[in-house]
Amino acid sequence: MMPSLFIAHGAPLLAIENNDYTKFLNTLGQNLPRPKAVVLFSAHWESKVQQVSRVEQYSTIYDFGNFDPSLFTIQYPARGNWDIANEIEDLFIKNDISFKNDTTRGLDHGAWVVLRLLFPNADIPVISMSVNPNLTPDEQYKIGKSLSELREKDILIIASGGTVHNLRALKWADNGEVDSWALEFDDWLARNLENWDLQSLFHYDSLAPHASFAVPPFGNEHFIPIFYAMGTADNNPKATSLHRSFRYGNLSHSIWQFG
């Protein structure tokens, strides 16, 4: 059965950097079983109703500014897959989850940066999915759970975001030191993911140390994709940390495998 993944997409600069994290993602893509398609939930696509892309050929969205100009020349011309989009919609109907189709939106950097590092040839079909930060964690988990059987069909499900993501706290003059509050929050998260303690995880905002700083109210869209990814492995509740590092003092580069 194909695993599901939560992958931190970091800053857009990852697309042109050669570091330990980008090398790890390159290697991960080479070692994964080749998926029939990728279903990707991105922190950078927010919507009040779940969106399912029905795009034949994706454009590349540059949803950032003030970065290296070469980033704006990168293309990731992935194709969609309407048959798998149909499967997703059937599963949502079966599980009483409201959704809408999107036929125009391209891939934002939360999607294409990760996909390009994993699968640089853009030769695997992609179904892009939105996230809804206004839902409760258990509702986000339920959306993921409704798609769990896709993993039995060689479809890789990825949730792209970041476990610690507070842009106001970043230290761009990176000296390699990691803020203690970021480590404490991420350690708490790791313990509860490995124990699959949903009750604690669903109440992370009141139970986890430094939660309001690690996952600020204005930026929880980067954290909540982890619940979508977990839900897809509800029938095999196992969480494995594949990578953890930090940039800019506290921005997490973490990868979790579920299932």
Side-chain angles (χ1 to χ4, degrees):
M1 183 182 295
M2 191 71 69
S4 61
L5 299 170
F6 173 85
I7 300 178
H9 59 250
L13 288 169
L14 282 179
I16 57 173
E17 290 178 328
N18 182 21
N19 55 39
D20 288 345
Y21 188 50
T22 60
K23 290 176 183 176
F24 186 89
L25 284 167
N26 291 154
T27 302
L28 177 62
Q30 294 167 14
N31 291 336
L32 283 168
R34 182 176 173 83
K36 177 181 177 182
V38 174
V39 175
L40 190 143
F41 292 89
S42 173
H44 286 272
W45 187 8
E46 298 178 51
S47 65
K48 293 182 179 180
V49 177
Q50 180 64 53
Q51 299 281 338
V52 181
S53 64
R54 280 185 172 274
V55 174
E56 183 174 346
Q57 178 78 58
Y58 288 100
S59 60
T60 305
I61 301 174
Y62 309 103
D63 51 336
F64 48 80
N66 301 317
F67 284 100
D68 189 310
S70 65
L71 286 170
F72 298 89
T73 67
I74 294 173
Q75 297 285 322
Y76 191 80
R79 301 186 68 84
N81 185 303
W82 285 25
D83 289 338
I84 295 174
N86 286 336
E87 287 191 59
I88 290 170
E89 293 171 10
D90 289 343
L91 290 170
F92 282 161
I93 292 169
K94 176 182 175 181
N95 290 278
D96 197 28
I97 292 171
S98 299
F99 67 89
K100 291 183 179 180
N101 298 134
D102 180 276
T103 60
T104 60
R105 193 177 190 277
L107 295 176
D108 57 67
H109 86 270
W112 64 259
V113 169
V114 168
L115 290 170
R116 187 168 174 266
L117 289 166
L118 291 172
F119 309 115
N121 294 327
D123 56 352
I124 296 174
V126 176
I127 297 84
S128 185
M129 308 281 282
S130 67
V131 298
N132 184 353
N134 297 315
L135 296 178
T136 61
D138 57 319
E139 289 171 326
Q140 294 152 355
Y141 185 96
K142 179 184 176 184
I143 291 173
K145 182 179 177 179
S146 71
L147 302 180
S148 60
E149 67 183 64
L150 294 178
R151 296 173 48 236
E152 302 172 9
K153 301 178 180 181
D154 297 326
I155 295 172
L156 177 64
I157 302 175
I158 298 175
S160 172
T163 57
V164 181
H165 188 274
N166 185 338
L167 296 182
R168 298 178 185 177
L170 296 186
K171 300 171 182 176
W172 291 103
D174 194 350
N175 62 6
E177 294 183 8
V178 183
D179 292 334
S180 60
W181 60 265
L183 285 172
E184 290 175 23
F185 174 85
D186 220 47
D187 287 344
W188 180 94
L189 178 64
R191 288 194 301 272
N192 287 282
L193 287 172
E194 289 167 352
N195 292 328
W196 210 269
D197 185 347
L198 295 181
Q199 288 309 305
S200 294
L201 291 166
F202 288 171
H203 296 92
Y204 74 90
D205 53 347
S206 60
L207 296 178
H210 315 291
S212 62
F213 211 53
V215 187
F218 56 82
N220 70 327
E221 76 286 339
H222 276 73
F223 181 73
I224 56 102
I226 204 163
F227 296 123
Y228 293 83
M230 283 191 80
T232 67
D234 182 77
N235 55 358
N236 183 19
K238 179 182 178 182
T240 305
S241 174
L242 301 184
H243 178 94
R244 184 177 85 157
S245 59
F246 291 85
R247 293 284 296 279
Y248 314 118
N250 51 66
L251 182 67
S252 65
H253 284 173
S254 55
I255 302 175
W256 283 90
Q257 176 176 303
F258 300 113

